[in-house]
Amino acid sequence: MARLSNSMWDRYKYKVNGLVLILSCFFLYKNLFPQFPDAWSTKSIGSFEVTPMPYNLDSPYMHDGTYTKDFLLIFSQGEVADIRQAYFNIGAAPLSLTDMQDADAGILHGSQHGQEVHAIAPKVIQADHRAWLTIENWQGKLKTVSWAIPKNLHL
């Protein structure tokens, strides 16, 4: 003889299990095919050609006491091994290397295929701010290039 119960869990447990299966497929698809904002224009800096791409359109976040925004920098020309150190920051002017060397934020890291950076940024990105890339080669020469910040990143 079947035992009948009409509890809330018995009525909805198959629907909850189905919802969990559908949500896991949805999140798996979103993680396999991430959507990124458009890459910025490619610029030359010394013997390098660099194209930055933000990972998202969110505002800068607090990381170890510094506001940062994450970027991928693609080097389409030049050898990454020729770079002694490189920094990326957002602001009215490029930060000096002495300021940047005190912390680990803002330094490029990765491989020849792409360099990731947690760029030092102000809490609020404004229209007069620019993104600054500073590269020092092994001979100690500094090169700096900047990009205008797209309006969709202004807050």
Side-chain angles (χ1 to χ4, degrees):
M1 177 172 210
R3 196 172 78 192
L4 296 176
S5 74
N6 199 11
S7 69
M8 178 84 97
W9 172 246
D10 289 334
R11 281 185 277 162
Y12 295 110
K13 65 183 174 185
Y14 294 111
K15 292 177 183 176
V16 170
N17 288 336
L19 181 64
V20 168
L21 288 173
I22 290 170
L23 287 176
S24 63
C25 292
F26 171 75
F27 287 113
L28 176 66
Y29 177 82
K30 281 192 68 135
N31 286 319
L32 289 176
F33 303 101
Q35 300 288 322
F36 297 107
D38 293 336
W40 296 357
S41 63
T42 301
K43 291 199 174 185
S44 293
I45 173 171
S47 62
F48 305 102
E49 280 190 356
V50 183
T51 306
M53 181 186 75
Y55 281 136
N56 56 43
L57 298 176
D58 298 341
S59 61
Y61 63 95
M62 181 66 80
H63 177 71
D64 288 341
T66 305
Y67 280 97
T68 59
K69 180 142 185 69
D70 297 336
F71 284 86
L72 174 69
L73 278 75
I74 301 166
F75 285 75
S76 55
Q77 185 178 5
E79 290 291 325
V80 174
D82 295 337
I83 298 173
R84 180 173 181 256
Q85 59 183 345
Y87 293 93
F88 198 73
N89 74 290
I90 296 173
L95 296 175
S96 69
L97 285 183
T98 54
D99 292 339
M100 302 286 269
Q101 291 171 344
D102 292 339
D104 58 351
I107 191 165
L108 275 63
H109 55 281
S111 69
Q112 64 185 1
H113 306 292
Q115 296 283 307
E116 184 183 32
V117 63
H118 309 287
I120 297 173
K123 184 177 180 179
V124 176
I125 298 174
Q126 299 173 349
D128 60 338
H129 289 158
R130 298 184 66 85
W132 301 89
L133 173 64
T134 304
I135 294 177
E136 181 184 22
N137 64 14
W138 289 101
Q139 289 76 36
K141 293 184 179 179
L142 289 174
K143 302 276 184 183
T144 302
V145 68
S146 68
W147 286 265
I149 307 289
K151 290 182 180 178
N152 56 2
L153 285 178
H154 297 168
L155 302 175

